[in-house]
Each structure stands twice: as structure tokens, then as C-alpha cells.
PDB file of all heavy atoms in Angstrom:
ATOM      1  N   ALA A   1       5.631  -6.260  -6.812  1.00  0.00           N
ATOM      2  CA  ALA A   1       5.494  -5.571  -5.551  1.00  0.00           C
ATOM      3  C   ALA A   1       4.011  -5.260  -5.308  1.00  0.00           C
ATOM      4  O   ALA A   1       3.161  -5.886  -5.899  1.00  0.00           O
ATOM      5  CB  ALA A   1       6.291  -4.315  -5.493  1.00  0.00           C
ATOM      6  N   TYR A   2       3.562  -4.245  -4.672  1.00  0.00           N
ATOM      7  CA  TYR A   2       2.296  -3.988  -4.352  1.00  0.00           C
ATOM      8  C   TYR A   2       1.519  -3.542  -5.724  1.00  0.00           C
ATOM      9  O   TYR A   2       1.961  -2.721  -6.408  1.00  0.00           O
ATOM     10  CB  TYR A   2       1.954  -2.870  -3.357  1.00  0.00           C
ATOM     11  CG  TYR A   2       2.353  -3.311  -1.944  1.00  0.00           C
ATOM     12  CD1 TYR A   2       3.588  -2.917  -1.337  1.00  0.00           C
ATOM     13  CD2 TYR A   2       1.531  -4.050  -1.166  1.00  0.00           C
ATOM     14  CE1 TYR A   2       3.895  -3.359  -0.111  1.00  0.00           C
ATOM     15  CE2 TYR A   2       1.778  -4.457   0.044  1.00  0.00           C
ATOM     16  CZ  TYR A   2       3.026  -4.050   0.744  1.00  0.00           C
ATOM     17  OH  TYR A   2       3.267  -4.505   1.877  1.00  0.00           O
ATOM     18  N   VAL A   3       0.457  -4.270  -5.948  1.00  0.00           N
ATOM     19  CA  VAL A   3      -0.240  -4.130  -7.347  1.00  0.00           C
ATOM     20  C   VAL A   3      -1.667  -3.416  -6.910  1.00  0.00           C
ATOM     21  O   VAL A   3      -2.274  -3.762  -5.842  1.00  0.00           O
ATOM     22  CB  VAL A   3      -0.634  -5.453  -7.877  1.00  0.00           C
ATOM     23  CG1 VAL A   3      -1.282  -5.316  -9.310  1.00  0.00           C
ATOM     24  CG2 VAL A   3       0.731  -6.248  -8.103  1.00  0.00           C
ATOM     25  N   ARG A   4      -2.173  -2.685  -7.870  1.00  0.00           N
ATOM     26  CA  ARG A   4      -3.406  -2.078  -7.582  1.00  0.00           C
ATOM     27  C   ARG A   4      -4.580  -2.914  -7.739  1.00  0.00           C
ATOM     28  O   ARG A   4      -5.183  -3.110  -8.811  1.00  0.00           O
ATOM     29  CB  ARG A   4      -3.542  -0.828  -8.662  1.00  0.00           C
ATOM     30  CG  ARG A   4      -4.681   0.135  -8.272  1.00  0.00           C
ATOM     31  CD  ARG A   4      -4.841   1.156  -9.343  1.00  0.00           C
ATOM     32  NE  ARG A   4      -3.653   1.853  -9.748  1.00  0.00           N
ATOM     33  CZ  ARG A   4      -2.972   2.947  -9.070  1.00  0.00           C
ATOM     34  NH1 ARG A   4      -3.698   3.356  -7.911  1.00  0.00           N
ATOM     35  NH2 ARG A   4      -1.923   3.527  -9.518  1.00  0.00           N
ATOM     36  N   THR A   5      -4.889  -3.678  -6.689  1.00  0.00           N
ATOM     37  CA  THR A   5      -5.924  -4.676  -6.569  1.00  0.00           C
ATOM     38  C   THR A   5      -6.744  -4.479  -5.459  1.00  0.00           C
ATOM     39  O   THR A   5      -6.373  -3.815  -4.391  1.00  0.00           O
ATOM     40  CB  THR A   5      -5.324  -6.078  -6.543  1.00  0.00           C
ATOM     41  OG1 THR A   5      -4.552  -6.302  -5.342  1.00  0.00           O
ATOM     42  CG2 THR A   5      -4.328  -6.386  -7.773  1.00  0.00           C
ATOM     43  N   PRO A   6      -7.940  -5.035  -5.413  1.00  0.00           N
ATOM     44  CA  PRO A   6      -8.725  -5.273  -4.270  1.00  0.00           C
ATOM     45  C   PRO A   6      -8.007  -5.744  -3.017  1.00  0.00           C
ATOM     46  O   PRO A   6      -8.287  -5.213  -1.868  1.00  0.00           O
ATOM     47  CB  PRO A   6     -10.037  -6.000  -4.646  1.00  0.00           C
ATOM     48  CG  PRO A   6     -10.051  -5.845  -6.110  1.00  0.00           C
ATOM     49  CD  PRO A   6      -8.685  -5.770  -6.502  1.00  0.00           C
ATOM     50  N   LEU A   7      -7.205  -6.695  -3.179  1.00  0.00           N
ATOM     51  CA  LEU A   7      -6.547  -7.366  -2.144  1.00  0.00           C
ATOM     52  C   LEU A   7      -5.606  -6.264  -1.382  1.00  0.00           C
ATOM     53  O   LEU A   7      -5.601  -6.237  -0.250  1.00  0.00           O
ATOM     54  CB  LEU A   7      -5.599  -8.432  -2.604  1.00  0.00           C
ATOM     55  CG  LEU A   7      -4.702  -9.184  -1.548  1.00  0.00           C
ATOM     56  CD1 LEU A   7      -5.423  -9.907  -0.653  1.00  0.00           C
ATOM     57  CD2 LEU A   7      -3.790 -10.177  -2.228  1.00  0.00           C
ATOM     58  N   VAL A   8      -4.897  -5.550  -2.229  1.00  0.00           N
ATOM     59  CA  VAL A   8      -3.991  -4.447  -1.629  1.00  0.00           C
ATOM     60  C   VAL A   8      -4.842  -3.353  -0.975  1.00  0.00           C
ATOM     61  O   VAL A   8      -4.549  -2.875   0.129  1.00  0.00           O
ATOM     62  CB  VAL A   8      -3.120  -3.850  -2.748  1.00  0.00           C
ATOM     63  CG1 VAL A   8      -2.396  -2.469  -2.276  1.00  0.00           C
ATOM     64  CG2 VAL A   8      -2.017  -4.872  -3.140  1.00  0.00           C
ATOM     65  N   GLU A   9      -5.993  -2.972  -1.546  1.00  0.00           N
ATOM     66  CA  GLU A   9      -6.853  -1.966  -0.954  1.00  0.00           C
ATOM     67  C   GLU A   9      -7.296  -2.397   0.348  1.00  0.00           C
ATOM     68  O   GLU A   9      -7.409  -1.549   1.241  1.00  0.00           O
ATOM     69  CB  GLU A   9      -7.998  -1.745  -1.909  1.00  0.00           C
ATOM     70  CG  GLU A   9      -7.592  -0.863  -3.242  1.00  0.00           C
ATOM     71  CD  GLU A   9      -8.564  -0.822  -4.339  1.00  0.00           C
ATOM     72  OE1 GLU A   9      -9.709  -1.412  -3.991  1.00  0.00           O
ATOM     73  OE2 GLU A   9      -8.344  -0.406  -5.370  1.00  0.00           O
ATOM     74  N   LYS A  10      -7.628  -3.612   0.418  1.00  0.00           N
ATOM     75  CA  LYS A  10      -8.190  -4.160   1.872  1.00  0.00           C
ATOM     76  C   LYS A  10      -7.124  -4.121   2.853  1.00  0.00           C
ATOM     77  O   LYS A  10      -7.498  -4.284   4.013  1.00  0.00           O
ATOM     78  CB  LYS A  10      -8.729  -5.547   1.607  1.00  0.00           C
ATOM     79  CG  LYS A  10      -9.982  -5.601   0.685  1.00  0.00           C
ATOM     80  CD  LYS A  10     -10.398  -7.067   0.435  1.00  0.00           C
ATOM     81  CE  LYS A  10     -11.635  -7.102  -0.485  1.00  0.00           C
ATOM     82  NZ  LYS A  10     -11.937  -8.484  -0.858  1.00  0.00           N
ATOM     83  N   GLN A  11      -5.786  -4.149   2.449  1.00  0.00           N
ATOM     84  CA  GLN A  11      -4.800  -4.261   3.393  1.00  0.00           C
ATOM     85  C   GLN A  11      -4.512  -2.896   4.054  1.00  0.00           C
ATOM     86  O   GLN A  11      -3.953  -2.800   5.195  1.00  0.00           O
ATOM     87  CB  GLN A  11      -3.375  -4.475   2.847  1.00  0.00           C
ATOM     88  CG  GLN A  11      -3.206  -6.043   2.341  1.00  0.00           C
ATOM     89  CD  GLN A  11      -1.851  -6.304   1.905  1.00  0.00           C
ATOM     90  OE1 GLN A  11      -0.963  -6.007   2.685  1.00  0.00           O
ATOM     91  NE2 GLN A  11      -1.666  -6.785   0.740  1.00  0.00           N
ATOM     92  N   ILE A  12      -5.113  -1.847   3.517  1.00  0.00           N
ATOM     93  CA  ILE A  12      -4.555  -0.469   4.102  1.00  0.00           C
ATOM     94  C   ILE A  12      -5.120  -0.324   5.501  1.00  0.00           C
ATOM     95  O   ILE A  12      -4.307   0.172   6.421  1.00  0.00           O
ATOM     96  CB  ILE A  12      -5.219   0.699   3.209  1.00  0.00           C
ATOM     97  CG1 ILE A  12      -4.495   0.634   1.815  1.00  0.00           C
ATOM     98  CG2 ILE A  12      -5.054   1.924   3.838  1.00  0.00           C
ATOM     99  CD1 ILE A  12      -4.977   1.560   0.898  1.00  0.00           C
ATOM    100  N   ALA A  13      -6.346  -0.706   5.873  1.00  0.00           N
ATOM    101  CA  ALA A  13      -6.833  -0.507   7.296  1.00  0.00           C
ATOM    102  C   ALA A  13      -6.080  -1.456   8.167  1.00  0.00           C
ATOM    103  O   ALA A  13      -5.705  -0.952   9.268  1.00  0.00           O
ATOM    104  CB  ALA A  13      -8.266  -0.941   7.307  1.00  0.00           C
ATOM    105  N   ASP A  14      -5.733  -2.653   7.813  1.00  0.00           N
ATOM    106  CA  ASP A  14      -4.875  -3.511   8.622  1.00  0.00           C
ATOM    107  C   ASP A  14      -3.543  -2.974   8.900  1.00  0.00           C
ATOM    108  O   ASP A  14      -3.011  -3.106  10.049  1.00  0.00           O
ATOM    109  CB  ASP A  14      -4.897  -4.890   7.880  1.00  0.00           C
ATOM    110  CG  ASP A  14      -6.280  -5.793   8.008  1.00  0.00           C
ATOM    111  OD1 ASP A  14      -7.117  -5.419   8.879  1.00  0.00           O
ATOM    112  OD2 ASP A  14      -6.306  -6.624   7.186  1.00  0.00           O
ATOM    113  N   GLN A  15      -2.965  -2.606   7.813  1.00  0.00           N
ATOM    114  CA  GLN A  15      -1.570  -2.038   7.937  1.00  0.00           C
ATOM    115  C   GLN A  15      -1.535  -0.830   8.841  1.00  0.00           C
ATOM    116  O   GLN A  15      -0.618  -0.618   9.669  1.00  0.00           O
ATOM    117  CB  GLN A  15      -1.034  -1.515   6.523  1.00  0.00           C
ATOM    118  CG  GLN A  15      -0.684  -2.767   5.579  1.00  0.00           C
ATOM    119  CD  GLN A  15       0.602  -3.358   5.840  1.00  0.00           C
ATOM    120  OE1 GLN A  15       1.309  -3.182   6.913  1.00  0.00           O
ATOM    121  NE2 GLN A  15       1.104  -4.081   4.814  1.00  0.00           N
ATOM    122  N   ALA A  16      -2.496   0.070   8.748  1.00  0.00           N
ATOM    123  CA  ALA A  16      -2.614   1.291   9.625  1.00  0.00           C
ATOM    124  C   ALA A  16      -2.770   0.885  11.057  1.00  0.00           C
ATOM    125  O   ALA A  16      -1.973   1.384  11.910  1.00  0.00           O
ATOM    126  CB  ALA A  16      -3.835   2.157   9.169  1.00  0.00           C
ATOM    127  N   ARG A  17      -3.611  -0.055  11.336  1.00  0.00           N
ATOM    128  CA  ARG A  17      -3.878  -0.536  12.643  1.00  0.00           C
ATOM    129  C   ARG A  17      -2.473  -1.243  13.256  1.00  0.00           C
ATOM    130  O   ARG A  17      -2.066  -0.973  14.388  1.00  0.00           O
ATOM    131  CB  ARG A  17      -4.899  -1.466  12.722  1.00  0.00           C
ATOM    132  CG  ARG A  17      -5.257  -2.019  14.163  1.00  0.00           C
ATOM    133  CD  ARG A  17      -6.468  -3.029  14.181  1.00  0.00           C
ATOM    134  NE  ARG A  17      -6.162  -4.178  13.313  1.00  0.00           N
ATOM    135  CZ  ARG A  17      -6.742  -4.458  12.217  1.00  0.00           C
ATOM    136  NH1 ARG A  17      -7.484  -3.620  11.547  1.00  0.00           N
ATOM    137  NH2 ARG A  17      -6.399  -5.558  11.554  1.00  0.00           N
ATOM    138  N   THR A  18      -1.904  -2.143  12.420  1.00  0.00           N
ATOM    139  CA  THR A  18      -0.710  -2.746  12.980  1.00  0.00           C
ATOM    140  C   THR A  18       0.402  -1.833  13.165  1.00  0.00           C
ATOM    141  O   THR A  18       1.164  -2.025  14.151  1.00  0.00           O
ATOM    142  CB  THR A  18      -0.341  -3.998  11.957  1.00  0.00           C
ATOM    143  OG1 THR A  18      -1.489  -4.718  11.777  1.00  0.00           O
ATOM    144  CG2 THR A  18       0.806  -4.811  12.430  1.00  0.00           C
ATOM    145  N   HIS A  19       0.612  -0.848  12.225  1.00  0.00           N
ATOM    146  CA  HIS A  19       1.797   0.022  12.445  1.00  0.00           C
ATOM    147  C   HIS A  19       1.494   1.214  13.238  1.00  0.00           C
ATOM    148  O   HIS A  19       2.479   1.956  13.476  1.00  0.00           O
ATOM    149  CB  HIS A  19       2.210   0.420  10.946  1.00  0.00           C
ATOM    150  CG  HIS A  19       2.901  -0.719  10.263  1.00  0.00           C
ATOM    151  ND1 HIS A  19       4.252  -1.154  10.413  1.00  0.00           N
ATOM    152  CD2 HIS A  19       2.319  -1.699   9.299  1.00  0.00           C
ATOM    153  CE1 HIS A  19       4.599  -2.081   9.477  1.00  0.00           C
ATOM    154  NE2 HIS A  19       3.386  -2.417   8.841  1.00  0.00           N
ATOM    155  N   GLY A  20       0.258   1.380  13.610  1.00  0.00           N
ATOM    156  CA  GLY A  20      -0.176   2.546  14.402  1.00  0.00           C
ATOM    157  C   GLY A  20       0.056   3.972  13.661  1.00  0.00           C
ATOM    158  O   GLY A  20       0.385   4.905  14.225  1.00  0.00           O
ATOM    159  N   ILE A  21      -0.333   3.924  12.314  1.00  0.00           N
ATOM    160  CA  ILE A  21      -0.266   5.190  11.518  1.00  0.00           C
ATOM    161  C   ILE A  21      -1.704   5.329  10.876  1.00  0.00           C
ATOM    162  O   ILE A  21      -2.509   4.375  10.667  1.00  0.00           O
ATOM    163  CB  ILE A  21       0.725   5.101  10.475  1.00  0.00           C
ATOM    164  CG1 ILE A  21       0.442   3.909   9.523  1.00  0.00           C
ATOM    165  CG2 ILE A  21       2.168   4.987  11.105  1.00  0.00           C
ATOM    166  CD1 ILE A  21       1.503   3.920   8.328  1.00  0.00           C
ATOM    167  N   PRO A  22      -1.935   6.578  10.485  1.00  0.00           N
ATOM    168  CA  PRO A  22      -3.161   6.709   9.694  1.00  0.00           C
ATOM    169  C   PRO A  22      -3.261   6.039   8.418  1.00  0.00           C
ATOM    170  O   PRO A  22      -2.298   5.871   7.793  1.00  0.00           O
ATOM    171  CB  PRO A  22      -3.243   8.352   9.482  1.00  0.00           C
ATOM    172  CG  PRO A  22      -2.238   8.858  10.524  1.00  0.00           C
ATOM    173  CD  PRO A  22      -1.199   7.854  10.695  1.00  0.00           C
ATOM    174  N   GLU A  23      -4.543   5.658   7.918  1.00  0.00           N
ATOM    175  CA  GLU A  23      -4.608   5.072   6.739  1.00  0.00           C
ATOM    176  C   GLU A  23      -4.099   5.852   5.532  1.00  0.00           C
ATOM    177  O   GLU A  23      -3.579   5.156   4.648  1.00  0.00           O
ATOM    178  CB  GLU A  23      -6.132   4.710   6.366  1.00  0.00           C
ATOM    179  CG  GLU A  23      -6.583   3.644   7.366  1.00  0.00           C
ATOM    180  CD  GLU A  23      -8.096   3.249   6.939  1.00  0.00           C
ATOM    181  OE1 GLU A  23      -8.391   3.490   5.794  1.00  0.00           O
ATOM    182  OE2 GLU A  23      -8.760   2.698   7.838  1.00  0.00           O
ATOM    183  N   SER A  24      -4.100   7.123   5.609  1.00  0.00           N
ATOM    184  CA  SER A  24      -3.612   7.990   4.556  1.00  0.00           C
ATOM    185  C   SER A  24      -2.087   8.009   4.393  1.00  0.00           C
ATOM    186  O   SER A  24      -1.564   8.301   3.372  1.00  0.00           O
ATOM    187  CB  SER A  24      -4.070   9.477   4.884  1.00  0.00           C
ATOM    188  OG  SER A  24      -3.464   9.950   6.107  1.00  0.00           O
ATOM    189  N   GLU A  25      -1.445   7.440   5.369  1.00  0.00           N
ATOM    190  CA  GLU A  25      -0.030   7.412   5.251  1.00  0.00           C
ATOM    191  C   GLU A  25       0.591   6.012   4.897  1.00  0.00           C
ATOM    192  O   GLU A  25       1.726   5.779   4.829  1.00  0.00           O
ATOM    193  CB  GLU A  25       0.622   7.732   6.663  1.00  0.00           C
ATOM    194  CG  GLU A  25       0.275   9.218   7.079  1.00  0.00           C
ATOM    195  CD  GLU A  25       0.909   9.655   8.364  1.00  0.00           C
ATOM    196  OE1 GLU A  25       1.638   8.825   8.913  1.00  0.00           O
ATOM    197  OE2 GLU A  25       0.583  10.651   8.875  1.00  0.00           O
ATOM    198  N   VAL A  26      -0.147   5.041   4.781  1.00  0.00           N
ATOM    199  CA  VAL A  26       0.057   3.596   4.515  1.00  0.00           C
ATOM    200  C   VAL A  26       0.707   3.459   3.278  1.00  0.00           C
ATOM    201  O   VAL A  26       1.760   2.874   3.141  1.00  0.00           O
ATOM    202  CB  VAL A  26      -1.212   2.632   4.721  1.00  0.00           C
ATOM    203  CG1 VAL A  26      -0.858   1.243   4.056  1.00  0.00           C
ATOM    204  CG2 VAL A  26      -1.531   2.520   6.127  1.00  0.00           C
ATOM    205  N   LEU A  27       0.216   4.045   2.162  1.00  0.00           N
ATOM    206  CA  LEU A  27       0.775   3.834   0.896  1.00  0.00           C
ATOM    207  C   LEU A  27       2.259   4.368   0.755  1.00  0.00           C
ATOM    208  O   LEU A  27       3.177   3.617   0.310  1.00  0.00           O
ATOM    209  CB  LEU A  27      -0.060   4.564  -0.171  1.00  0.00           C
ATOM    210  CG  LEU A  27       0.333   4.357  -1.757  1.00  0.00           C
ATOM    211  CD1 LEU A  27       0.113   2.960  -2.028  1.00  0.00           C
ATOM    212  CD2 LEU A  27      -0.560   5.344  -2.604  1.00  0.00           C
ATOM    213  N   ASP A  28       2.528   5.594   1.318  1.00  0.00           N
ATOM    214  CA  ASP A  28       3.797   6.193   1.117  1.00  0.00           C
ATOM    215  C   ASP A  28       4.829   5.541   2.183  1.00  0.00           C
ATOM    216  O   ASP A  28       5.864   5.282   1.895  1.00  0.00           O
ATOM    217  CB  ASP A  28       3.837   7.699   1.301  1.00  0.00           C
ATOM    218  CG  ASP A  28       3.220   8.349   0.193  1.00  0.00           C
ATOM    219  OD1 ASP A  28       3.162   7.852  -0.862  1.00  0.00           O
ATOM    220  OD2 ASP A  28       2.683   9.532   0.376  1.00  0.00           O
ATOM    221  N   GLN A  29       4.423   5.374   3.406  1.00  0.00           N
ATOM    222  CA  GLN A  29       5.228   4.973   4.534  1.00  0.00           C
ATOM    223  C   GLN A  29       5.519   3.334   4.515  1.00  0.00           C
ATOM    224  O   GLN A  29       6.572   3.026   4.894  1.00  0.00           O
ATOM    225  CB  GLN A  29       4.777   5.378   5.810  1.00  0.00           C
ATOM    226  CG  GLN A  29       4.771   6.819   6.157  1.00  0.00           C
ATOM    227  CD  GLN A  29       4.544   7.064   7.656  1.00  0.00           C
ATOM    228  OE1 GLN A  29       4.703   6.302   8.521  1.00  0.00           O
ATOM    229  NE2 GLN A  29       4.069   8.374   7.960  1.00  0.00           N
ATOM    230  N   ILE A  30       4.620   2.660   4.069  1.00  0.00           N
ATOM    231  CA  ILE A  30       4.567   1.204   4.081  1.00  0.00           C
ATOM    232  C   ILE A  30       4.783   0.620   2.727  1.00  0.00           C
ATOM    233  O   ILE A  30       5.795  -0.097   2.391  1.00  0.00           O
ATOM    234  CB  ILE A  30       3.485   0.562   4.762  1.00  0.00           C
ATOM    235  CG1 ILE A  30       3.294   1.169   6.219  1.00  0.00           C
ATOM    236  CG2 ILE A  30       3.661  -0.888   4.910  1.00  0.00           C
ATOM    237  CD1 ILE A  30       4.454   0.932   7.192  1.00  0.00           C
ATOM    238  N   MET A  31       3.849   0.818   1.785  1.00  0.00           N
ATOM    239  CA  MET A  31       3.782   0.134   0.621  1.00  0.00           C
ATOM    240  C   MET A  31       4.758   0.593  -0.436  1.00  0.00           C
ATOM    241  O   MET A  31       5.421  -0.353  -1.169  1.00  0.00           O
ATOM    242  CB  MET A  31       2.285   0.127  -0.012  1.00  0.00           C
ATOM    243  CG  MET A  31       1.292  -0.533   0.808  1.00  0.00           C
ATOM    244  SD  MET A  31      -0.309  -0.523   0.155  1.00  0.00           S
ATOM    245  CE  MET A  31      -1.287  -1.616   1.188  1.00  0.00           C
ATOM    246  N   LEU A  32       5.011   1.779  -0.494  1.00  0.00           N
ATOM    247  CA  LEU A  32       6.074   2.285  -1.441  1.00  0.00           C
ATOM    248  C   LEU A  32       7.275   2.639  -0.926  1.00  0.00           C
ATOM    249  O   LEU A  32       8.311   2.976  -1.647  1.00  0.00           O
ATOM    250  CB  LEU A  32       5.464   3.575  -2.060  1.00  0.00           C
ATOM    251  CG  LEU A  32       4.127   3.442  -2.921  1.00  0.00           C
ATOM    252  CD1 LEU A  32       3.713   4.637  -3.608  1.00  0.00           C
ATOM    253  CD2 LEU A  32       4.291   2.264  -4.027  1.00  0.00           C
ATOM    254  N   ALA A  33       7.545   2.392   0.339  1.00  0.00           N
ATOM    255  CA  ALA A  33       8.734   2.767   0.955  1.00  0.00           C
ATOM    256  C   ALA A  33      10.007   2.016   0.443  1.00  0.00           C
ATOM    257  O   ALA A  33      11.068   2.416   0.201  1.00  0.00           O
ATOM    258  CB  ALA A  33       8.684   2.578   2.474  1.00  0.00           C
ATOM    259  N   PRO A  34       9.879   0.644   0.252  1.00  0.00           N
ATOM    260  CA  PRO A  34      10.987  -0.148  -0.248  1.00  0.00           C
ATOM    261  C   PRO A  34      11.350  -0.038  -1.705  1.00  0.00           C
ATOM    262  O   PRO A  34      12.299  -0.594  -2.226  1.00  0.00           O
ATOM    263  CB  PRO A  34      10.519  -1.589   0.120  1.00  0.00           C
ATOM    264  CG  PRO A  34       9.257  -1.574   0.831  1.00  0.00           C
ATOM    265  CD  PRO A  34       8.624  -0.225   0.478  1.00  0.00           C
ATOM    266  N   VAL A  35      10.389   0.548  -2.610  1.00  0.00           N
ATOM    267  CA  VAL A  35      10.636   0.599  -3.958  1.00  0.00           C
ATOM    268  C   VAL A  35      11.269   1.761  -4.486  1.00  0.00           C
ATOM    269  O   VAL A  35      11.039   2.894  -3.914  1.00  0.00           O
ATOM    270  CB  VAL A  35       9.245   0.284  -4.658  1.00  0.00           C
ATOM    271  CG1 VAL A  35       8.707  -0.982  -4.209  1.00  0.00           C
ATOM    272  CG2 VAL A  35       8.319   1.418  -4.558  1.00  0.00           C
ATOM    273  N   ALA A  36      11.983   1.624  -5.573  1.00  0.00           N
ATOM    274  CA  ALA A  36      12.592   2.794  -6.243  1.00  0.00           C
ATOM    275  C   ALA A  36      11.587   3.565  -6.985  1.00  0.00           C
ATOM    276  O   ALA A  36      11.560   4.875  -7.116  1.00  0.00           O
ATOM    277  CB  ALA A  36      13.786   2.419  -7.073  1.00  0.00           C
ATOM    278  N   LEU A  37      10.673   2.957  -7.750  1.00  0.00           N
ATOM    279  CA  LEU A  37       9.673   3.523  -8.456  1.00  0.00           C
ATOM    280  C   LEU A  37       8.481   3.744  -7.650  1.00  0.00           C
ATOM    281  O   LEU A  37       7.821   2.790  -7.198  1.00  0.00           O
ATOM    282  CB  LEU A  37       9.376   2.708  -9.686  1.00  0.00           C
ATOM    283  CG  LEU A  37      10.477   2.390 -10.751  1.00  0.00           C
ATOM    284  CD1 LEU A  37       9.997   1.416 -11.853  1.00  0.00           C
ATOM    285  CD2 LEU A  37      10.841   3.771 -11.335  1.00  0.00           C
ATOM    286  N   LYS A  38       8.110   4.888  -7.308  1.00  0.00           N
ATOM    287  CA  LYS A  38       7.047   5.104  -6.295  1.00  0.00           C
ATOM    288  C   LYS A  38       5.680   5.161  -7.001  1.00  0.00           C
ATOM    289  O   LYS A  38       5.038   6.197  -7.063  1.00  0.00           O
ATOM    290  CB  LYS A  38       7.332   6.520  -5.701  1.00  0.00           C
ATOM    291  CG  LYS A  38       8.675   6.671  -4.939  1.00  0.00           C
ATOM    292  CD  LYS A  38       8.755   5.680  -3.801  1.00  0.00           C
ATOM    293  CE  LYS A  38      10.133   5.711  -3.133  1.00  0.00           C
ATOM    294  NZ  LYS A  38      10.330   4.807  -2.032  1.00  0.00           N
ATOM    295  N   ARG A  39       5.292   3.906  -7.359  1.00  0.00           N
ATOM    296  CA  ARG A  39       4.119   3.684  -7.906  1.00  0.00           C
ATOM    297  C   ARG A  39       3.645   2.282  -7.676  1.00  0.00           C
ATOM    298  O   ARG A  39       4.387   1.404  -7.463  1.00  0.00           O
ATOM    299  CB  ARG A  39       4.026   3.956  -9.426  1.00  0.00           C
ATOM    300  CG  ARG A  39       5.031   3.095 -10.176  1.00  0.00           C
ATOM    301  CD  ARG A  39       5.243   3.346 -11.664  1.00  0.00           C
ATOM    302  NE  ARG A  39       3.948   2.925 -12.436  1.00  0.00           N
ATOM    303  CZ  ARG A  39       3.815   1.647 -12.907  1.00  0.00           C
ATOM    304  NH1 ARG A  39       4.681   0.805 -12.816  1.00  0.00           N
ATOM    305  NH2 ARG A  39       2.648   1.455 -13.526  1.00  0.00           N
ATOM    306  N   LEU A  40       2.283   2.103  -7.596  1.00  0.00           N
ATOM    307  CA  LEU A  40       1.793   0.783  -7.620  1.00  0.00           C
ATOM    308  C   LEU A  40       1.821   0.009  -8.963  1.00  0.00           C
ATOM    309  O   LEU A  40       1.793   0.707 -10.016  1.00  0.00           O
ATOM    310  CB  LEU A  40       0.279   0.751  -7.060  1.00  0.00           C
ATOM    311  CG  LEU A  40       0.002   1.156  -5.769  1.00  0.00           C
ATOM    312  CD1 LEU A  40      -1.546   1.265  -5.563  1.00  0.00           C
ATOM    313  CD2 LEU A  40       0.605   0.125  -4.631  1.00  0.00           C
ATOM    314  N   VAL A  41       2.145  -1.301  -9.012  1.00  0.00           N
ATOM    315  CA  VAL A  41       2.161  -1.964 -10.214  1.00  0.00           C
ATOM    316  C   VAL A  41       0.720  -2.152 -10.616  1.00  0.00           C
ATOM    317  O   VAL A  41      -0.166  -2.280  -9.957  1.00  0.00           O
ATOM    318  CB  VAL A  41       2.762  -3.372  -9.928  1.00  0.00           C
ATOM    319  CG1 VAL A  41       2.798  -4.202 -11.313  1.00  0.00           C
ATOM    320  CG2 VAL A  41       4.220  -3.324  -9.480  1.00  0.00           C
ATOM    321  N   GLU A  42       0.513  -2.167 -12.092  1.00  0.00           N
ATOM    322  CA  GLU A  42      -0.842  -2.296 -12.645  1.00  0.00           C
ATOM    323  C   GLU A  42      -1.105  -3.712 -13.067  1.00  0.00           C
ATOM    324  O   GLU A  42      -0.127  -4.367 -13.374  1.00  0.00           O
ATOM    325  CB  GLU A  42      -0.979  -1.412 -13.802  1.00  0.00           C
ATOM    326  CG  GLU A  42      -0.788   0.066 -13.549  1.00  0.00           C
ATOM    327  CD  GLU A  42      -1.857   0.726 -12.561  1.00  0.00           C
ATOM    328  OE1 GLU A  42      -3.072   0.083 -12.469  1.00  0.00           O
ATOM    329  OE2 GLU A  42      -1.637   1.726 -12.049  1.00  0.00           O
ATOM    330  N   VAL A  43      -2.121  -4.224 -12.908  1.00  0.00           N
ATOM    331  CA  VAL A  43      -2.491  -5.653 -13.186  1.00  0.00           C
ATOM    332  C   VAL A  43      -2.193  -5.990 -14.567  1.00  0.00           C
ATOM    333  O   VAL A  43      -1.717  -7.103 -14.797  1.00  0.00           O
ATOM    334  CB  VAL A  43      -4.029  -5.829 -12.820  1.00  0.00           C
ATOM    335  CG1 VAL A  43      -4.276  -5.846 -11.381  1.00  0.00           C
ATOM    336  CG2 VAL A  43      -4.983  -5.089 -13.719  1.00  0.00           C
ATOM    337  N   ASP A  44      -2.395  -5.126 -15.490  1.00  0.00           N
ATOM    338  CA  ASP A  44      -2.064  -5.464 -16.973  1.00  0.00           C
ATOM    339  C   ASP A  44      -0.557  -5.748 -17.102  1.00  0.00           C
ATOM    340  O   ASP A  44      -0.239  -6.433 -18.046  1.00  0.00           O
ATOM    341  CB  ASP A  44      -2.478  -4.390 -17.806  1.00  0.00           C
ATOM    342  CG  ASP A  44      -4.006  -4.285 -17.876  1.00  0.00           C
ATOM    343  OD1 ASP A  44      -4.650  -5.242 -17.651  1.00  0.00           O
ATOM    344  OD2 ASP A  44      -4.582  -3.210 -18.398  1.00  0.00           O
TER     345      ASP A  44
END
């Protein structure tokens, strides 16, 4: 799922614009909404 990477970090502004929500809400409302474990995956 969403991994803590520069690629994901760069998506936040795009996601906010596309969904019409503040950037501060992207992680909870978009990226972590479908997952049971409410955390980003770590690269390791």
C-alpha cells in the first residue's frame, strides 16, 4: 500500500487538488482510508 517514500510525499498536493480537500487531510481521508492498519508501510 502507500509506502513512506518521496513518491508518496509528492502525491499529497496532487491528491488534495484532485479531491478538493486540504493537504492535511490527504493521509487520513485518501491514503489510509482503505487499510485496516492505519500506518504507512516502511521501505525496509
Side-chain angles (χ1 to χ4, degrees):
Y2 288 102
V3 183
R4 195 185 307 277
T5 65
L7 179 66
V8 166
E9 292 168 0
K10 291 175 184 175
Q11 282 187 57
I12 291 179
D14 288 342
Q15 291 276 18
R17 182 179 62 255
T18 302
H19 290 276
I21 61 176
E23 291 186 20
S24 60
E25 297 179 9
V26 168
L27 187 62
D28 290 336
Q29 289 195 23
I30 304 299
M31 293 182 173
L32 298 182
V35 304
L37 298 174
K38 301 300 182 181
R39 58 183 291 272
L40 293 174
V41 180
E42 301 295 339
V43 293
D44 289 341

